[in-house]
Structures are given as C-alpha cells and as structure tokens.
Amino acid sequence: MRGISIHEEAPFRSGRAWSTEDAHTLLTWAKELGCNYVRLAHYPHNENMVKEAEKMGLMIWSEVPVYWTISWTNPDTYANAEHQLHDMIYRDKNRCGIVIWSIANETPHGDDRDAFLSKLAKYARTQDNSRLISMAMEVTKSPNNINTLQDNMNEYVDIVSFNQYLGWYRGTNESCKDMQWVIPYNKPVIVSEFGGEALQGLHGDKKERWNEEYQEELYIQNTQMFNRIEGLAGVSPWILVDFRSPRRQLPDIQDFFNRKGLISSGGIKKKAFYVMKDWYAQKEKEYKDN
C-alpha cells in the first residue's frame, strides 16, 4: 500500500478542493509519487475526490473526524460520530475505490475512549461488512529505543495503523537507525503518518530544521527504518501539499501554513518528494518480483 495523506485544500489557491479539476490535480501528484492509495484525512472529502480517485485507479482510505481528545462519555458526541460514519459509508459504500473505513485519528488511551471506539467499529460493520476497518493509533516509546504499539482497539480493527514523527516531534533523523518496533498483533501494519516540515526553496545543512535537505534526510532515514518493521503493509506520509493552519506561526517559515507537504502550496515538489518516489518505485518492483 503506497499511499499519501491528503487534505481537502485546493492546489494553487486558497479554499477547499471541491471540483473535479482540483481532485484531478491532487491525485495526479499522488500518481506521480507512485501511490496506489490515498488517505483522505481527517474527514470525508468531496464526492468528486472519491469519484476521480476511482477513475484514476487509486484505492481510498476514508475517515471520520474522531480526533484527539473529545467528550468520550457524552451521548451526543457519540451520536454525532455515528451519524457522520453512517453518512460516509452510505454515500460511498458502492464505490469500488474505497478499501478502508477509518474511525479515528490519534486518540489518547483510556476506558471511555475504548468503549466509544469499539462501539463505533461495531456500528461500521453493520453498515458495511465488506471493507477493512482501521484507525490511526499512537505508539508508546519504551526504554532502549524500543517502540511498542499497545492499543486495546487492536481486536476491533483489521489493519493496525499508527502515526509516528521520528525526526520531527521526537528523536532525530539519526535516531531512526537505532529504533526497534514491537507490534504484537497478527495483522497488517500501516504507518498512517510520518514526516516533517520544510519551506520549499529554503536550503541548508541536512541537520538544520525547516530546510529541504533536513526533510529529505528525514524521509531517507524513516524509509530505511520502515524496511525493518515486520508486517509492514504500507505507509501514507503526512502530507501531499502544504496547507493553511492558524496554529503554525513561525515567521518567514510557516506563516500560517503547515509545511509538511512534499509539494508546496504553489505546486513545486520538494526534495523529499523524490526520496519517497524512489522508495515507492523500489517497493513496486520488489512486490512485482515476488
């Protein structure tokens, strides 16, 4: 599963990606990257995106915005999530491109959360028992560079997926070489997010953050690390294109954009794009040869 995460943000301009033309541009970049699936994060995207992905032969991970810390014990919150899940599945369950329904992203562990999400997973199966169920989990870091995935939701999903940001939110790019992964579930594994920020056109030493060389090195080290994860079935880096974000305020670098895109908001590919493209080409050849 050679993927990429995509936000519903229009290429080349401000605003939402809503038209067939917008979808075609974004998905053409995904195809150029070597993708065979797209993760539409973190909410159902415009129907044009789903239809266009289907026409272009791309598989789709579709998600509802059950995200971070919400009111797990509030019945109205659960009803809201179930309603959104129902609408997403009802609209797209007859689209052949859909392969994964995702019920959550980066939710903190706890009994109330487990009760909420297990109920949601069971509901998803009543609406469509032909697709795979997943969610983006989090990894618990243990001593001695051992990263362990421990999540009670493992029994309710078909694919074990997790987000990790080695080289950006924790550790360094070099630390990827020492990391070990323990995923004690006999299920396929997808790294649903990884990455780091770089301002397109900013160049410098590969050990200095925010430039293209640092992001390039992050992708080199992470992809080499992924080769050591047993059961790895796919990845979907974060993210295809830089997108607007009011929380990203670093002057002259972010300027209210999240710069984790492999492509700038102006459509220019960064150096990390080509690292990922080459790795996907290797994986495609490897699996064809097998």
Side-chain angles (χ1 to χ4, degrees):
M1 298 285 283
R2 307 183 309 273
I4 189 69
S5 298
I6 299 179
H7 259 316
E8 193 178 50
E9 187 147 349
F12 306 118
R13 69 174 197 279
S14 294
R16 292 295 181 206
W18 61 270
S19 67
T20 299
E21 291 74 20
D22 289 338
H24 186 79
T25 297
L26 293 169
L27 296 172
T28 295
W29 287 335
K31 294 278 281 190
E32 290 176 5
L33 186 62
C35 296
N36 58 12
Y37 93 97
V38 290
R39 178 184 179 220
L40 302 182
H42 294 292
Y43 40 81
H45 287 213
N46 188 287
E47 194 172 10
N48 287 324
M49 179 69 82
V50 178
K51 290 180 177 179
E52 196 64 19
E54 191 173 77
K55 290 177 184 176
M56 296 173 70
L58 287 162
M59 296 178 284
I60 301 161
W61 161 317
S62 192
E63 191 165 279
V64 289
V66 176
Y67 189 30
W68 289 356
T69 302
I70 59 176
S71 185
W72 303 112
T73 58
N74 186 333
D76 290 339
T77 302
Y78 177 80
N80 186 329
E82 186 177 281
H83 183 73
Q84 291 189 57
L85 183 63
H86 170 272
D87 287 356
M88 177 176 71
I89 295 175
Y90 182 81
R91 189 191 75 176
D92 291 334
K93 65 182 179 181
N94 292 321
R95 293 281 169 200
C96 66
I98 301 285
V99 295
I100 298 170
W101 300 124
S102 175
I103 61 171
N105 176 70
E106 288 184 355
T107 52
H109 298 178
D111 292 341
D112 293 334
R113 169 265 200 180
D114 290 349
F116 186 109
L117 292 182
S118 60
K119 185 178 178 181
L120 203 61
K122 292 173 184 175
Y123 178 77
R125 296 195 192 280
T126 69
Q127 301 303 293
D128 178 14
N129 62 6
S130 66
R131 288 344 193 282
L132 301 172
I133 304 294
S134 193
M135 58 176 282
M137 302 174 181
E138 293 182 308
V139 174
T140 302
K141 186 176 185 296
S142 301
N144 302 317
N145 294 322
I146 298 174
N147 298 273
T148 305
L149 185 64
Q150 295 176 324
D151 198 307
N152 294 333
M153 284 300 296
N154 75 87
E155 62 181 291
Y156 298 99
V157 298
D158 303 300
I159 298 172
V160 175
S161 304
F162 64 91
N163 299 348
Q164 68 81 23
Y165 282 93
L166 276 168
W168 195 251
Y169 293 129
R170 70 181 180 94
T172 64
N173 290 338
E174 285 293 313
S175 67
C176 292
K177 296 176 181 178
D178 301 319
M179 293 298 172
Q180 301 176 57
W181 295 86
V182 178
I183 305 171
Y185 312 119
N186 188 26
K187 295 182 177 181
V189 175
I190 290 180
V191 179
S192 37
E193 289 182 26
F194 75 96
E197 296 191 54
L199 178 64
Q200 184 275 318
L202 180 63
H203 298 285
D205 190 276
K206 67 180 182 180
K207 293 185 178 181
E208 295 177 1
R209 286 178 174 239
W210 306 107
N211 65 52
E212 288 196 44
E213 284 71 21
Y214 185 93
Q215 187 190 46
E216 177 186 42
E217 182 67 12
L218 184 150
Y219 272 76
I220 290 170
Q221 296 299 335
N222 271 264
T223 51
Q224 290 178 0
M225 178 181 67
F226 296 155
N227 289 330
R228 304 194 305 270
I229 298 180
E230 186 176 353
L232 185 70
V235 301
S236 48
W238 189 265
I239 189 168
L240 182 64
V241 184
D242 290 350
F243 60 94
R244 292 184 183 276
S245 176
R247 297 176 65 186
R248 312 291 172 168
Q249 301 178 10
L250 184 62
D252 301 321
I253 299 290
Q254 292 175 313
D255 293 327
F256 305 101
F257 274 87
N258 186 314
R259 301 293 184 186
K260 291 188 182 71
L262 293 174
I263 303 174
S264 74
S265 56
I268 300 173
K269 298 176 178 68
K270 304 177 191 178
K271 297 184 76 170
F273 179 96
Y274 299 99
V275 174
M276 205 66 214
K277 179 181 173 69
D278 289 346
W279 193 71
Y280 277 161
Q282 293 169 16
K283 289 299 174 186
E284 184 177 16
K285 183 178 186 301
E286 176 184 327
Y287 280 85
K288 280 183 177 179
D289 289 347
N290 290 336

